[in-house]
Amino acid sequence: MLTPEPPENVVPTVGPRMHIIETYFECCGFDHTLLQGGTSVYLWNLSRAFAARGHRVSIVTPAHGRLDDLRPRYYVEDLPYEDAYTLPLALDPRVWRGFPAETGIELRTTAHRIRLDGVDLYFLSNDYLDRLPTTFYPPYSAKGRDLVFFKPLVFQADSVRFLRAWFGEERALVHAHEPYYHYLLPAALRDDAMKLVVSTVQSNMPIAKKVYGPEVRRLFELLDVKVELPVAGEGGEGAYPAAVLQYQQLTHLHYAYPPDHVALYELTAEHSDLIDFLSPGQLDFYASFRDTPFAALFERLPMADVVRRNAHKMFVGGCAISDEWLAMDPAEVDRGDVLGGLGLDPALPTFFHNARYAVHHKGQVELVRAVDRVLSEGLAANFVLRCIAGEGIDDPYFHEVARRHAGRLHLEWERVDERRVFAYAASSDFCVFPSKFEMDTFLIAQGEAMVCGAVPIATAQEGMAHFRHADGPSTGTGFAVNRSFAEGDELLTSALADRFREAVALWSQEPDRCRELSERASAVAREFTWERCADLHLAAFGRLWRGEPAEPPVQLALRHGWFEQLRDVESAAVTEAAVAHGAVDVYERHAPLNADAARRIFAAAWQRADFAACERVLERGPGGAVGRRDVDRLRGRCRAGDDGRIVYRLPHAERVELVIPSEPGADGRALPRVELLERTGPGEFRGPAPERPGDARLLLTLASGRVTWDEVRRG
């Protein structure tokens, strides 16, 4: 096959010239009329940046039935490629009721190419890939009802077959995005010595998300892939308290699956050559889920071993803010016209939120409640809230609040021209992003608002830490609120209201300090360019292309307590990590567990509410190292008395909830009962005791934002 000439006017590449093949279910960021999501924009900007460095870049994506829309605007080549085959689909009978156990889809796939900005875009077309031309993605409601649900799976099989046939013996690096959309691909290309595979974790989808094993097995047979599918591990979930297991469904972090399902992240992590993340915090979060309600359970799952085993493959390729947004000048925006045109007072401090309408993911329920609270109190401020929804906002409370505070709150949900969004951001003093459940991995919208000088107020999510709103006074860009893993979270609502008050006070009383934060926010956001993103990717790609071994993940292992990986690491670093993780046995292997060390480990564990580690210190440490008062606080923290009441005392707890398991319903699903204990004083909580204390668990939210578990103990 012919190799296209490199594009003209490129920056000479440093290192080897590579052929980089980007592949994803939606790669239409080159044309706004086709655009569906942020990943598409990311891919197009990154691809152009690679091409500008002199690399050969190809993109493989479905046509989505839009070839006729593209032909009038671009030269579309109909390539000499045709692939006719039957795609076998093994259907889970628990989901696809009334369908056969296996069915086949007859496909005839063609390929089409557009060459644009030095990038070759390949569009695969067949009867299934051309369905849903306006939305691209199958609705979740199609699951169990309509085989169009398998459109992304059709693309997986088609893309593997196309890569093998069209690029054949060419050496290439295949950069695939979002494990759910490419979990077949790394294993399918594993034995191809000419292909390297990099898997990008685009969103924080539940790491243990699984798919029907027989379905995967049949597709691997079709693709002639010889891979032993992972088998559900023993212990793990089955040996864990039902209250903790059931609660995970409320965190959006983990769901239970039948034993005949396989984890798609395991398929990608084990067989990819590298694993790419959008931010350092996202990588860190995906390593252990530290300080979340899922963390302790995660450590018991086979997936934790998968992560540790493949940690050396993990790197941060980064993400960026569009060149077009960076090129616009906030000074050219007339604040008076913009805010006045919305019916707001330009003389007041203004807060701005811009995200798709996703009330739990984006923390919008708590945001609107906090806005309602402070405006009802009389706070002199404007709020511009964009909750983008094609069908409109379906929660009447949002509209009720907007009517109640007309002249102070502007609510909109329509998609608008990017310049209008820029004008909103440039006319605002603060931007608000209270995202929850660690679902945001970079959050371009926050960076865009910060580019305009809007001071951020945002959750201290790991995936958003690069914007530095949770830093200390010398480097911070704004205000942080603790992470949230609960729906309708009153702690988050109260924290947002407090930050709004602080921000208005800063704006009115310390304008110089407010201006300093604004300038710092803009400077930090402007660091995230596609050139920087390309540099990070190409550095990792280049090492892989040259066959250089990956460095051991020492710092990651220290941070997350993977002590079995810490060989030839100086003892001082290991002992400090052991203190942080309450690992008494590890400490003892590197230094004497004297009274001072015992006190340090106990104090650190107490602050994390890691009471098992506290008990290990008492068992293994020298007698008397931990004072009587601390021992009494540890062992007397919870009392479930004969009067049917619980009393729980922990000075640094902000909230204590009682989680009681329930029996599965008719659909086999079981959600726990969650009861909030009443806060009766600083660090003191009371409430009714469960009938069976051994089955219930206490969920603690600490002042630091850490969420962890404790047992109900009888006094």
Side-chain angles (χ1 to χ4, degrees):
M1 289 167 194
L2 295 177
T3 301
E5 293 298 317
E8 298 180 359
N9 302 320
V10 300
V11 178
T13 185
V14 177
R17 181 174 185 259
M18 296 177 280
H19 181 191
I20 301 169
I21 303 175
E22 301 286 345
T23 179
Y24 180 58
F25 187 69
E26 180 207 344
C27 301
C28 300
F30 67 96
D31 190 310
H32 75 278
T33 66
L34 277 68
L35 192 60
Q36 299 292 326
T39 299
S40 195
V41 176
Y42 162 97
L43 273 160
W44 179 238
N45 282 296
L46 189 60
S47 297
R48 287 195 300 175
F50 289 158
R53 302 298 178 86
H55 297 283
R56 180 183 169 197
V57 182
S58 302
I59 291 177
V60 178
T61 193
H64 295 298
R66 301 298 291 272
L67 287 174
D68 288 343
D69 295 337
L70 293 170
R71 292 185 192 278
R73 301 194 299 278
Y74 307 93
Y75 174 57
V76 179
E77 298 178 73
D78 298 321
L79 300 176
Y81 176 86
E82 182 175 319
D83 182 22
Y85 69 102
T86 301
L87 182 81
L89 283 179
L91 303 176
D92 185 347
R94 291 158 297 202
V95 176
W96 295 89
R97 294 172 181 164
F99 285 78
E102 182 172 316
T103 189
I105 299 176
E106 300 295 328
L107 298 170
R108 187 184 72 85
T109 304
T110 58
H112 313 265
R113 180 170 61 196
I114 294 174
R115 288 179 158 167
L116 189 66
D117 290 357
V119 177
D120 288 347
L121 296 109
Y122 293 88
F123 298 91
L124 303 183
S125 174
N126 62 38
D127 179 56
Y128 265 73
L129 296 184
D130 288 343
R131 297 187 186 186
L132 307 174
T134 58
T135 58
F136 292 11
Y137 296 86
Y140 191 77
S141 60
K143 187 174 182 179
R145 299 181 178 184
D146 188 336
L147 293 180
V148 75
F149 179 78
F150 292 107
K151 178 182 172 182
L153 201 56
V154 171
F155 174 65
Q156 284 205 55
D158 268 321
S159 63
V160 169
R161 294 168 69 91
F162 178 75
L163 289 170
R164 287 173 172 174
W166 190 258
F167 297 109
E169 298 303 313
E170 296 181 38
R171 190 174 188 221
L173 187 150
V174 180
H175 190 198
H177 299 266
E178 195 65 273
Y180 179 76
Y181 292 97
H182 71 258
Y183 54 85
L184 301 177
L185 189 146
L189 298 182
R190 183 192 60 172
D191 295 328
D192 185 343
M194 301 301 288
K195 302 295 186 292
L196 301 165
V197 177
V198 179
S199 171
T200 298
V201 181
Q202 212 78 29
S203 68
N204 283 345
M205 196 171 283
I207 194 169
K209 183 177 179 64
K210 296 183 179 182
V211 289
Y212 186 46
E215 170 192 297
V216 176
R217 191 171 290 108
R218 284 293 286 119
L219 290 168
F220 275 164
E221 289 173 4
L222 169 75
L223 299 172
D224 194 27
V225 176
K226 304 296 191 293
V227 166
E228 193 71 32
L229 289 185
V231 179
E234 296 299 321
E237 295 183 38
Y240 220 70
V244 177
L245 284 172
Q246 292 181 10
Y247 188 83
Q248 301 307 318
Q249 299 173 82
L250 306 179
T251 70
H252 303 264
L253 295 174
H254 180 70
Y255 301 91
Y257 292 89
D260 58 358
H261 281 51
V262 295
L264 57 90
Y265 183 71
E266 183 169 357
L267 288 173
T268 55
E270 296 282 29
H271 302 296
S272 296
D273 296 289
L274 288 176
I275 308 167
D276 178 16
F277 291 86
L278 301 190
S279 72
Q282 183 204 12
L283 185 156
D284 195 62
F285 174 72
Y286 234 54
S288 74
F289 302 89
R290 188 177 53 186
D291 299 338
T292 75
F294 177 46
L297 173 60
F298 174 71
E299 283 302 308
R300 299 279 294 273
L301 299 179
M303 185 58 69
D305 292 329
V306 172
V307 170
R308 287 191 285 264
R309 192 163 56 243
N310 293 285
H312 63 286
K313 301 178 182 178
M314 297 159 69
F315 78 101
V316 177
C319 192
I321 294 158
S322 73
D323 295 338
E324 291 78 9
W325 193 282
L326 291 170
M328 291 187 281
D329 185 359
E332 294 180 355
V333 174
D334 188 316
R335 175 185 173 110
D337 281 353
V338 173
L339 297 181
L342 299 177
L344 305 176
D345 184 350
L348 294 179
T350 300
F351 298 81
F352 175 56
H353 170 75
N354 179 43
R356 65 184 175 87
Y357 179 55
V359 293
H360 298 308
H361 173 178
K362 299 295 183 181
Q364 289 160 341
V365 167
E366 292 86 352
L367 171 59
V368 173
R369 287 176 180 171
V371 170
D372 191 16
R373 185 173 300 177
V374 296
L375 290 180
S376 296
E377 294 169 354
L379 188 73
N382 298 318
F383 289 86
V384 178
L385 306 185
R386 281 180 42 77
C387 303
I388 306 159
E391 302 300 319
I393 295 172
D394 58 7
D395 187 338
Y397 175 67
F398 281 55
H399 300 283
E400 176 191 329
V401 172
R403 287 192 297 271
R404 182 156 54 240
H405 302 294
R408 289 287 180 267
L409 168 59
H410 172 76
L411 176 68
E412 69 178 38
W413 51 89
E414 304 88 351
R415 292 187 181 275
V416 299
D417 181 83
E418 188 173 42
R419 289 189 172 275
R420 180 170 161 186
V421 180
F422 181 86
Y424 288 166
S427 302
S428 300
D429 304 286
F430 304 94
C431 59
V432 189
F433 291 92
S435 301
K436 303 196 305 183
F437 303 110
E438 279 286 357
M439 287 185 177
D440 282 314
T441 53
F442 181 81
L443 200 55
I444 289 175
Q446 180 175 331
E448 289 175 338
M450 289 171 62
V451 160
C452 296
V455 174
I457 299 171
T459 37
Q461 295 201 138
E462 298 290 342
M464 294 154 59
H466 49 279
F467 289 131
R468 290 169 37 189
H469 51 278
D471 277 13
S474 61
T475 59
T477 59
F479 303 83
V481 293
N482 283 338
R483 297 192 298 176
S484 172
F485 297 94
E487 296 183 358
D489 190 345
E490 172 54 30
L491 289 182
L492 178 57
T493 298
S494 295
L496 287 170
D498 287 343
R499 299 304 177 273
F500 294 157
R501 299 181 192 104
E502 290 177 43
V504 170
L506 183 77
W507 183 86
S508 60
Q509 299 168 21
E510 299 181 66
D512 290 343
R513 172 63 178 153
C514 197
R515 186 162 43 251
E516 177 188 343
L517 286 177
S518 173
E519 291 170 355
R520 189 182 295 161
S522 180
V524 166
R526 288 179 181 276
E527 294 173 1
F528 296 100
T529 64
W530 287 109
E531 289 75 14
R532 175 181 178 274
C533 192
D535 287 341
L536 292 169
H537 278 92
L538 292 173
F541 290 0
R543 289 190 294 270
L544 180 61
W545 192 269
R546 294 187 295 268
E548 297 174 7
E551 293 290 328
V554 173
Q555 292 306 313
L556 198 65
L558 286 168
R559 182 166 167 77
H560 294 286
W562 302 339
F563 295 107
E564 71 281 359
Q565 296 192 13
L566 293 172
R567 300 180 181 87
D568 302 321
V569 178
E570 63 179 42
S571 291
V574 178
T575 55
E576 283 305 303
V579 170
H581 291 280
V584 177
D585 55 335
V586 174
Y587 191 97
E588 286 181 304
R589 291 200 295 269
H590 292 267
L593 185 63
N594 56 31
D596 179 64
R599 283 191 291 271
R600 289 178 61 216
I601 296 174
F602 184 94
W606 174 256
Q607 282 303 121
R608 294 196 324 279
D610 184 352
F611 306 121
C614 290
E615 292 288 358
R616 287 194 296 271
V617 172
L618 297 181
E619 292 171 8
R620 305 279 286 274
V626 179
R628 185 74 255 164
R629 176 174 173 272
D630 287 333
V631 174
D632 290 344
R633 287 203 306 174
L634 170 68
R635 292 179 173 165
R637 66 187 183 276
C638 180
R639 288 288 180 266
D642 295 333
D643 61 353
R645 303 284 293 174
I646 290 177
V647 179
Y648 194 89
R649 294 185 177 92
L650 187 68
H652 48 295
E654 288 289 325
R655 178 170 59 203
V656 178
E657 294 166 290
L658 181 67
V659 181
I660 303 168
S662 65
E663 295 298 320
D667 60 356
R669 190 176 181 218
L671 288 175
R673 191 166 85 248
V674 181
E675 298 180 359
L676 179 67
L677 270 61
E678 181 186 3
R679 185 169 186 161
T680 54
E684 181 178 279
F685 305 84
R686 296 174 183 263
E691 292 181 6
R692 299 168 60 181
D695 293 342
R697 288 296 183 273
L698 293 167
L699 185 65
L700 315 178
T701 302
L702 307 184
S704 64
R706 172 177 163 83
V707 182
T708 190
W709 295 92
D710 198 4
E711 296 180 357
V712 179
R713 302 158 66 96
R714 282 203 170 275

